[in-house]
């Protein structure tokens, strides 16, 4: 989704902005632009398409000598992706870039800007027009007046020609952080500036930063000074190259065993799970997340309810936040998020806190909003994930949820210790089992060649197999653009089986021995109607047109190995189809708007 970078006091600011924008490319975008100030005047360039198009435009125009600037990658919400709607937007002495959505932009136009000639179709332009309109002598004053009128979420980086040595930033509901290095930087995502700054400051909602070459002052919207502590990031985790792989996604699939090992080793010492989580015995647990993180939550539900013997409800964050959930201090809420910035998940977290629940987050990005705002954070140790389609972060989320479930079951003595000891032992070996699963790659490449031209696929499974099916189906559709659906295998005959005809592709996920015969019946039912069935199974006998065998492990942990062949299959099918694997169309890595 949209990305912001800003810098002040940086030689060759345009180069630094482009470098930062390139590091934000993974978030997904459809246009990009920068503005610098040179000799007191703006130089603005923005282009539809990739950053390479912006770079070409910059080369052919001016020399961009300024030491201050702002840059943006836009993921269109209001107005088509084109040069005009791309950021930065300018009005009078102001230029700005914006992440988020201004929900009351139409009212603001009507109330304050009736006579203004708008150049773009964006909600963002309202902000810059308001700044221009409310400006008399002080930028800070105009910014404070403007942001108080805005409803919605916004992170802003603002330049003003009257103060050509200052960069202003605002955060309200969209992430933004500051960094000090050779110059001072601002970015919506640490990745953009991790190798240009050494000291970092996380902005909180309702804050304005006034940045000069040598100093940063923070204010609230009443323009009272706010003191900030620096925050730490683990930089050994920050490598973001593809290594020897053609795509980040493949590299990240190979990194899954390591992501699991690091997550498990961070909390499981010898045979003790060490979490500093203070919590009363829950009566019920809610899990809230989006997309793949929601699918990890489905797995979390199974293991938590099995070991804690209490009801566990999983909901997508976009539904949960508006569902008037019945929460109290006995109903902790677990929020799962790779980025820690997903708007719906963050809103769900805030709602849960408001209603008195203890909030536990499972997050990959240190110091992200969800991590900072939750009562307890269990970090996954997947390292930076660049491909839009999550693989290693999902696997690390599963590992974290296993740890949490076993920890709570031990704490409240809700399961046999022998069972928990066995699970812990298997958890220590999980990375090796996942590593062995990668051996199926050659078989998968052959299958991908066979399946590359299909139009539809159905994933079926029972129990944890259904959880794997849901995630597998999402993986296939998001990167290969093949229509795909996941069903609890027993549900097929209640409607969807009418879509099965000769040659329809069905992928069956088998995780639990006790459900295998039931799944087999469902496989037989679709095969009898002409479906071609590929089954992923862990040594449990399943008859299908082709089986992919994964290493056997404790049934409660089985999703961790089951998903890997499907991630690989999705990858190789997408490759066969020539798709943009790391940046699938229309998708963003971190969904920071509702
Ligand atoms: C999965 O491949 C997707 N990229 C998407 O579903 C993702 O899991 C979802 O947007 C949630 O993101 P988060 O984990 O950063 O909150």
């Amino acid at each position: 989704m949209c990305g912001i970078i800003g810098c002040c006091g940086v030689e060759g600011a345009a180069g630094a902005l482009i470098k930062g924008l390139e590091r934000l490319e993974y978030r997904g975008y459809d246009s990009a632009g920068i503005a610098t100030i040179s000799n007191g005047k703006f130089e603005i360039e923005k282009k539809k398409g990739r950053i390479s198009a912006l770079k070409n435009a910059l080369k052919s125009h001016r020399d961009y000598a300024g030491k201050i600037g702002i840059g943006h990658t836009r993921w269109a919400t209001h107005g088509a992706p084109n040069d005009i709607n791309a950021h930065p937007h300018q009005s009078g002495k102001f230029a700005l870039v914006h992440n988020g959505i201004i929900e009351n932009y139409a009212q603001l136009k009507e109330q304050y800007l009736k006579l203004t000639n708008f150049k773009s179709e964006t909600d963002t332009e309202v902000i810059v027009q308001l700044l221009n309109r409310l400006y008399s002598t002080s930028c800070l004053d105009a910014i404070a007046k403007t942001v108080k009128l805005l409803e919605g979420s916004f992170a802003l980086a603002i330049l003003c020609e009257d103060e050509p040595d200052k960069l202003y930033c605002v955060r309200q509901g969209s992430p933004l952080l500051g960094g000090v290095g050779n110059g001072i930087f601002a970015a919506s995502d640490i990745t953009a500036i991790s190798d240009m700054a050494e000291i970092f400051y996380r902005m909180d909602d309702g804050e304005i930063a006034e940045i000069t070459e040598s100093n940063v002052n923070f204010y609230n919207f009443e323009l009272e000074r706010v003191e900030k502590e620096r925050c730490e990031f683990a930089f050994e985790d920050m490598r973001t190259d593809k290594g020897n792989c053609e795509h980040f996604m493949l590299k990240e699939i190979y990194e899954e065993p390591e992501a699991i090992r690091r997550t498990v080793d961070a909390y499981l010492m010898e045979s003790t799970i060490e979490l500093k989580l203070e919590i009363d015995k829950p009566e019920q647990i809610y899990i809230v997340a989006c997309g793949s993180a929601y699918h990890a939550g489905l797995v979390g539900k199974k293991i938590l309810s099995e070991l804690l013997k209490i009801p566990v409800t999983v909901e997508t964050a976009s539904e949960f936040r508006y569902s008037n959930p019945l929460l109290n201090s006995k109903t902790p809420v677990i929020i799962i998020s790779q980025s820690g910035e997903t708007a719906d998940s963050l809103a769900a977290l805030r709602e849960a806190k408001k209603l008195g629940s203890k909030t536990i987050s499972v997050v990959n990005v240190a110091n992200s909003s969800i991590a900072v705002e939750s009562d307890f954070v269990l970090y996954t140790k997947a390292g930076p994930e660049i491909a839009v389609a999550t693989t290693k972060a999902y696997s690390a989320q599963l590992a974290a949820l296993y740890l949490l479930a076993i920890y709570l079951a031990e704490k409240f003595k809700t399961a046999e210790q022998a069972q928990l000891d066995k699970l812990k032992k298997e958890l220590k070996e999980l990375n090796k089992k996942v590593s062995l699963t990668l051996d199926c790659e050659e078989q998968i490449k052959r299958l991908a060649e066979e399946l590359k031209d299909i139009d539809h696929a159905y994933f079926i499974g029972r129990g944890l197999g259904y959880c794997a099916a849901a995630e597998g189906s999402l993986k296939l559709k998001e990167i290969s653009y093949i229509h795909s659906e996941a069903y609890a295998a027993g549900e097929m005959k209640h409607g969807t089986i009418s879509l099965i005809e000769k040659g329809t592709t069905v992928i069956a996920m088998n995780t639990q021995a006790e459900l295998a015969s039931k799944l087999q019946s469902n496989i037989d039912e679709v095969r009898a109607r002409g479906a071609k069935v590929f089954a992923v199974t862990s040594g449990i006998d399943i008859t299908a047109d082709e089986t992919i065998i994964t290493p056997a492990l404790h049934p409660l942990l089985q999703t961790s190995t089951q998903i890997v062949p499907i991630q690989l299959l999705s990858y190789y099918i997408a490759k066969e189809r020539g798709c943009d694997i790391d940046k699938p169309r229309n998708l963003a890595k971190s969904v920071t708007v509702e």
Side-chain angles (χ1 to χ4, degrees):
M1 206 141 264
C2 304
I4 287 179
I5 177 157
C7 67
C8 190
V10 174
E11 287 300 338
L17 296 173
I18 293 290
K19 188 172 156 197
L21 290 182
E22 283 175 333
R23 300 194 69 175
L24 292 175
E25 279 196 288
Y26 77 99
R27 295 168 64 99
Y29 70 105
D30 37 49
S31 58
I34 63 166
T36 56
I37 301 184
S38 208
N39 301 321
K41 290 277 162 237
F42 287 134
E43 293 188 317
I44 298 178
E45 192 64 74
K46 44 195 200 163
K47 276 272 161 258
K48 178 186 172 184
R50 295 288 181 220
I51 288 164
S52 50
L54 174 65
K55 273 162 102 175
N56 283 339
L58 287 170
K59 260 191 242 150
S60 59
H61 285 244
R62 318 168 185 105
D63 66 355
Y64 285 82
K67 288 171 72 181
I68 186 167
I70 52 179
H72 192 256
T73 46
R74 174 175 188 250
W75 186 86
T77 57
H78 297 62
N82 59 33
D83 292 358
I84 293 172
N85 290 332
H87 301 206
H89 290 281
Q90 189 204 345
S91 175
K93 305 271 185 181
F94 290 92
L96 62 73
V97 293
H98 165 221
N99 282 4
I101 289 179
I102 304 304
E103 288 166 0
N104 61 337
Y105 78 100
Q107 289 145 256
L108 291 171
K109 271 185 176 179
E110 183 62 28
Q111 200 171 339
Y112 298 95
L113 302 163
K114 248 186 162 154
L115 301 175
T116 304
N117 235 337
F118 279 82
K119 294 174 218 135
S120 76
E121 304 156 280
T122 63
D123 53 333
T124 300
E125 197 184 336
V126 165
I127 315 172
V128 79
Q129 298 290 5
L130 278 174
L131 281 172
N132 188 37
R133 166 95 206 275
L134 300 174
Y135 178 57
S136 51
T137 50
S138 152
C139 286
L140 201 51
D141 196 50
I143 291 170
K145 280 185 185 144
T146 301
V147 294
K148 282 192 213 148
L149 297 175
L150 306 178
E151 284 170 21
S153 63
F154 46 94
L156 307 171
I158 305 167
L159 296 176
C160 177
E161 281 177 336
D162 284 348
E163 295 186 18
D165 301 322
K166 276 189 187 165
L167 163 67
Y168 290 95
C169 292
V170 183
R171 176 186 164 142
Q172 178 61 43
S174 273
L176 204 57
L177 52 92
V180 182
N182 224 342
I184 302 190
F185 299 85
S188 52
D189 179 330
I190 181 84
T191 319
I193 55 172
S194 61
D195 61 350
M196 296 191 272
E198 290 104 43
I199 297 170
F200 297 91
Y201 297 91
R202 189 181 170 279
M203 288 185 72
D204 290 308
D205 281 352
E207 287 181 355
I208 302 171
E210 179 188 37
I211 300 171
T212 64
E213 331 208 333
S214 55
N215 195 26
V216 189
N217 291 323
F218 295 96
Y219 302 88
N220 61 23
F221 287 180
E222 301 306 324
L223 296 185
E224 295 156 340
R225 285 286 289 274
V226 174
E227 292 309 317
K228 286 246 137 215
E229 303 261 308
R230 55 196 277 186
C231 61
E232 305 295 333
F233 290 91
F235 282 99
E236 77 275 13
D237 280 357
M238 284 293 169
R239 273 196 59 210
T240 51
D241 59 275
K242 284 187 213 159
N244 295 326
C245 296
E246 199 180 332
H247 297 97
F248 279 109
M249 182 175 175
L250 187 62
K251 176 180 166 251
E252 288 161 5
I253 293 173
Y254 292 149
E255 286 173 348
E256 286 185 71
E258 185 59 6
I260 293 169
R261 187 195 64 74
R262 284 167 50 143
T263 305
V264 171
D265 285 359
Y267 303 104
L268 178 54
M269 316 299 163
E270 302 288 326
S271 59
T272 314
I273 296 175
E274 290 184 9
L275 297 181
K276 294 188 179 71
L277 167 59
E278 283 168 26
I279 186 169
D280 294 332
K281 192 171 178 185
E283 287 173 355
Q284 187 179 356
I285 292 177
Y286 281 84
I287 303 177
V288 183
C290 303
S292 294
Y294 167 78
H295 295 150
L298 295 177
V299 178
K301 170 193 161 97
K302 299 270 183 213
I303 187 162
L304 280 159
S305 58
E306 170 92 19
L307 297 184
L308 290 171
K309 300 172 180 68
I310 54 171
V312 180
T313 304
V314 196
E315 271 208 63
T316 54
S318 54
E319 289 297 317
F320 176 87
R321 62 183 291 192
Y322 297 115
S323 66
N324 297 322
L326 300 173
L327 302 179
N328 57 47
S329 59
K330 295 278 177 61
T331 53
V333 176
I334 301 170
I335 297 97
I336 309 169
S337 175
Q338 186 285 129
S339 62
E341 301 292 354
T342 301
D344 282 321
S345 304
L346 181 58
L349 162 78
R350 289 176 179 161
E351 179 70 10
K353 279 184 95 165
K354 204 169 80 192
L355 294 171
S357 282
K358 178 132 203 151
T359 51
I360 301 166
S361 64
V362 175
V363 172
N364 197 42
V365 178
N367 287 305
S368 54
S369 303
I370 292 174
V372 170
E373 292 191 31
S374 55
D375 296 313
F376 178 78
V377 54
L378 201 168
Y379 278 117
T380 48
K381 305 283 179 180
E385 190 180 63
I386 304 299
V388 165
T390 182
T391 52
K392 64 173 180 169
Y394 167 81
S395 282
Q397 285 164 353
L398 295 189
L401 290 163
Y402 302 150
L403 286 161
L404 182 62
I406 300 167
Y407 171 82
L408 292 173
E410 276 195 318
K411 187 177 173 81
F412 298 117
K413 302 192 179 14
T414 51
E416 292 287 329
Q417 192 56 46
Q419 183 192 14
L420 300 177
D421 289 343
K422 189 164 180 336
L423 275 165
K424 283 190 280 185
K425 205 160 157 247
E426 291 227 21
L427 207 42
K428 274 282 182 203
E429 301 292 309
L430 184 60
N431 63 317
K432 292 184 193 136
K433 296 280 173 71
V434 170
S435 189
L436 282 175
T437 314
L438 290 164
D439 289 348
C440 68
E441 195 171 1
E442 287 310 311
Q443 181 188 10
I444 294 292
K445 279 186 193 168
R446 181 178 48 73
L447 281 178
E449 165 74 31
E450 182 183 333
L451 297 176
K452 65 177 189 295
D453 295 321
I454 60 172
D455 293 321
H456 310 278
Y458 297 91
F459 283 76
I460 58 171
R462 283 174 176 264
L464 285 159
Y466 168 67
C467 305
E471 173 58 9
S473 169
L474 179 68
K475 213 74 338 191
L476 180 67
K477 80 177 88 165
E478 69 182 330
I479 60 165
S480 73
Y481 316 142
I482 291 171
H483 165 243
S484 147
E485 290 182 42
Y487 276 90
E491 272 293 295
M492 283 295 278
K493 61 171 100 49
H494 297 286
T496 307
I497 201 164
S498 67
L499 297 173
I500 302 293
E501 54 189 15
K502 193 168 174 349
T504 306
T505 301
V506 174
I507 298 175
M509 311 296 288
N510 183 42
T511 47
Q512 288 143 280
E514 71 273 20
L515 297 174
S517 62
K518 305 284 176 201
L519 180 66
Q520 184 66 62
S521 304
N522 304 130
I523 292 174
D524 294 343
E525 285 155 12
V526 292
R527 286 184 87 202
R529 287 155 181 85
K532 189 152 189 200
V533 180
F534 303 87
V536 182
T537 181
S538 57
I540 308 161
D541 248 0
I542 284 284
T543 305
D545 292 277
E546 179 153 354
T547 48
I548 301 149
I549 310 288
T550 57
L553 72 164
H554 193 295
L556 283 175
L557 312 182
Q558 196 76 61
T559 324
S560 291
T561 50
Q562 297 300 89
I563 196 60
V564 175
I566 302 304
Q567 293 168 338
L568 283 169
L569 184 65
S570 306
Y571 172 80
Y572 281 111
I573 289 179
K575 194 172 162 198
E576 290 282 346
R577 291 163 73 96
C579 299
D580 190 352
I581 294 178
D582 286 336
K583 297 185 215 96
R585 69 184 180 205
N586 305 336
L587 293 182
K589 183 70 182 162
S590 172
V591 181
T592 48
V593 294
E594 259 194 74

